[in-house]
Amino acid sequence: MHSDPVGIVGVGLVGGVIVDRLRGADFSMLGFDIATVDRSGLTLLASATEVFERCDIVILSLPDSSVSASVLGAAPLRRGQLIIDTTTGAPQDAESQAAALSAQGACYLEATIAGSSGLLARGEAPLFLGGEEQAIHDGEAVLDALAPRRFLVGPAGHGARFKLMFNLMLGLHRAVLAEALTFGRSQGIDPGTALEILRQTPAFSSVIDTKGDRMVERDYDNPQARLSQHLKDVRLILGASATTPLSETHLHLLERAQSLGFGQADTSAIIEAFREPED
């Protein structure tokens, strides 16, 4: 068991998996979430402030960077403290937070996650790190527990930029699969058969394995990643670039799926945006 506890602020879909990964590596943990949570190995505290007061390393797993900024703005930070932020947010927010922490003698490290909570749970989701080499060195044991593969992609802000690029590609893969299955169905092709064959062709992507059966079976419960969260990411992508026409279309599809009530469902529910009302 590691002697010093690690702090966790935000114990939702991803934060809960982070707790599980750290517990498996024999870390003790102190945490806070606005909702009541029960996670083995995690001692819940009454406030985020207490987490920052008692932990030298604090991991943030929050809905977006505005929430991270609010939490950090009220945190009693101290010299030498390391904040590892796994939140997917706006790159400029990460830059601002890194500068603000540096002025207080603390370190800020982005550790955005390349994949779903399910992939993270299995140790198959790499981390995109944005920050300084010293911060990575200071947090090495924790980072080792979270993911065996990590990529330093640049200073603070670049973790978010690379994650948005990654999410752009992954999200469009899902949308393409949804459209292909819907098109095939309209042509009399059984979706299950289509998946079985597509897995053996150059059209294969891992999205077929992770989302294909869910789309066919309309099984969107127990989400690996929520559709509303990806919609947030696509809005960030569009806000950062004027040359993403496919993402413009993707935005409308996600907004339609959310309007149909699938915002909290798994991202595979994007296929619902293609369905006719009578389906």
Side-chain angles (χ1 to χ4, degrees):
M1 177 75 70
H2 296 270
S3 57
D4 297 325
V6 175
I8 314 285
V9 177
V11 193
L13 195 59
V14 172
V17 174
I18 289 172
V19 170
D20 294 341
R21 296 285 302 174
L22 292 178
R23 185 181 70 245
D26 289 328
F27 281 93
S28 61
M29 289 162 285
L30 304 175
F32 172 76
D33 193 278
I34 58 172
T36 301
V37 295
D38 181 13
R39 207 81 184 192
S40 175
L42 176 69
T43 299
L44 282 177
L45 301 180
S47 68
T49 296
E50 288 187 63
V51 176
F52 284 97
E53 287 175 342
R54 296 176 59 178
C55 300
D56 291 331
I57 297 179
V58 178
I59 300 174
L60 304 182
S61 179
L62 297 166
D64 59 53
S65 52
S66 66
V67 180
S68 292
S70 176
V71 168
L72 290 173
L77 300 169
R78 59 183 178 276
R79 183 166 297 279
Q81 195 169 31
L82 173 62
I83 310 303
I84 300 175
D85 196 351
T86 68
T87 306
T88 300
Q92 60 270 27
D93 289 344
E95 292 169 341
S96 297
Q97 285 159 191
L101 265 66
S102 179
Q104 298 177 71
C107 294
Y108 178 83
L109 178 67
E110 290 178 285
T112 56
I113 299 164
S116 67
S117 58
L119 289 173
L120 180 64
R122 298 193 297 273
E124 298 173 4
L127 300 179
F128 302 136
L129 304 180
E132 302 299 326
E133 292 277 4
Q134 185 60 49
I136 296 170
H137 179 268
D138 292 344
E140 187 171 19
V142 171
L143 296 172
D144 282 343
L146 295 181
R149 287 186 297 154
R150 304 183 293 273
F151 303 97
L152 176 59
V153 294
H158 279 64
R161 291 183 176 96
F162 208 96
K163 175 64 182 289
L164 291 177
M165 182 183 72
F166 170 84
N167 276 359
L168 185 157
M169 293 187 67
L170 192 63
L172 288 177
H173 281 204
R174 287 192 293 261
V176 166
L177 176 61
E179 183 169 314
L181 291 175
T182 304
F183 171 74
R185 184 179 177 214
S186 75
Q187 302 301 304
I189 298 171
D190 175 72
T193 301
L195 288 177
E196 185 178 333
I197 295 172
L198 287 170
R199 286 187 175 99
Q200 304 173 65
T201 74
F204 173 79
S205 102
S206 62
V207 168
I208 290 176
D209 286 340
T210 58
K211 302 300 180 185
D213 290 335
R214 279 180 174 257
M215 289 182 181
V216 171
E217 297 166 11
R218 303 181 82 169
D219 175 17
Y220 314 129
D221 294 333
N222 301 313
Q224 297 170 322
R226 291 187 174 89
L227 187 141
S228 62
Q229 280 295 106
H230 191 67
L231 173 56
K232 177 263 295 183
D233 294 345
V234 172
R235 287 172 174 154
L236 287 172
I237 290 164
L238 292 171
S241 174
T243 56
T244 48
L246 296 179
S247 290
E248 290 276 4
T249 300
H250 192 197
L251 174 71
H252 298 316
L253 292 169
L254 290 166
E255 288 177 335
R256 173 168 165 73
Q258 179 165 268
S259 73
L260 293 171
F262 294 99
Q264 295 305 301
D266 186 79
T267 50
S268 54
I270 190 172
I271 196 170
E272 296 296 329
F274 294 91
R275 295 187 188 279
E276 296 298 329
E278 63 271 21
D279 289 349

